[in-house]
Amino acid sequence: MAEKLPLERNFERSLFASRWLMAPMYLGLVVSLGLLTIVFLRELAYYAPQVLTMSSDKAILAILTLIDLTLAANLLLIVLFSGYENFVSKLDIGEHVDRPDWMGAVDFSGLKMKLIASIVAISAIHLLKRFMEIGQQAADAVFGSEELFWLVVIHMVFVLSGVLMAAMDWLSARAKKG
């Protein structure tokens, strides 16, 4: 194998070093996680004083809102950890007892599947919340039958996208074996 010219070697090193341009984006996602935590705490503080007087339907909607925010935070963590490890640098935290099992083991394909699964779950919870609000005058003013139709269509697009991505990954893995 012929030795590379210094220009080519330096160019390739520069390309490889450019992955660090992603680091500020991951820091921005950490800030976003903090913002999401504040929104979660605000929602919790809003609903907590009402717990003794709220109806079961309203309690379920409040809980679904908190679950929705938690799933979005989980999604952020998956993108933060997996994205950083796949595209920038390995996290050097050793064998910390709290290190999630999937860290360092989720490749780009796995990351895509975790992302779409989280998006489908968030969409499903949002859709369930809207269905539970049917018949409530304030909610019906915002979400009529046409809006609900489009929420279902969008959710089904997410589901179909997930199924198609899983099928493509399955076919790709099968082709590599053969």
Side-chain angles (χ1 to χ4, degrees):
M1 177 151 96
E3 178 140 344
K4 292 184 179 183
L5 296 174
L7 178 65
E8 182 180 5
R9 191 172 39 252
N10 289 335
F11 178 72
E12 289 174 358
R13 285 182 180 153
S14 296
L15 281 178
F16 186 67
S18 71
R19 73 193 189 283
W20 285 100
L21 293 173
M22 293 292 297
M25 295 178 195
Y26 290 110
L27 284 175
L29 290 179
V30 171
V31 171
S32 297
L33 185 59
L35 298 174
L36 201 53
T37 301
I38 292 169
V39 171
F40 180 93
L41 292 173
R42 186 191 70 214
E43 290 292 321
L44 187 61
Y46 174 77
Y47 288 118
Q50 302 174 39
V51 74
L52 297 176
T53 59
M54 70 172 56
S55 68
S56 58
D57 284 350
K58 181 146 180 156
I60 291 169
L61 288 171
I63 291 166
L64 288 173
T65 298
L66 296 175
I67 290 170
D68 204 16
L69 290 167
T70 302
L71 285 172
N74 288 341
L75 179 62
L76 265 173
L77 280 178
I78 291 168
V79 171
L80 272 168
F81 292 157
S82 297
Y84 184 84
E85 282 205 329
N86 278 308
F87 302 112
V88 180
S89 182
K90 298 292 180 199
L91 288 170
D92 187 18
I93 59 172
E95 293 301 318
H96 192 279
V97 67
D98 291 334
R99 181 184 174 102
D101 291 337
W102 56 265
M103 270 184 66
V106 177
D107 60 2
F108 186 66
S109 177
L111 177 60
K112 284 188 312 186
M113 294 313 298
K114 286 184 179 302
L115 285 172
I116 194 67
S118 295
I119 290 168
V120 167
I122 291 167
S123 173
I125 289 172
H126 186 71
L127 191 57
L128 179 59
K129 283 170 47 179
R130 294 301 158 234
F131 278 132
M132 289 186 67
E133 293 174 338
I134 291 175
Q136 295 177 6
Q137 192 173 14
D140 287 346
V142 177
F143 288 98
S145 58
E146 187 174 336
E147 286 82 7
L148 283 174
F149 169 80
W150 285 110
L151 286 175
V152 170
V153 168
I154 291 167
H155 177 70
M156 292 311 298
V157 167
F158 289 148
V159 170
L160 182 62
S161 296
V163 169
L164 290 174
M165 275 197 246
M168 287 187 296
D169 283 349
W170 180 75
L171 288 171
S172 176
R174 223 172 138 210
K176 286 179 185 176
K177 285 181 184 178

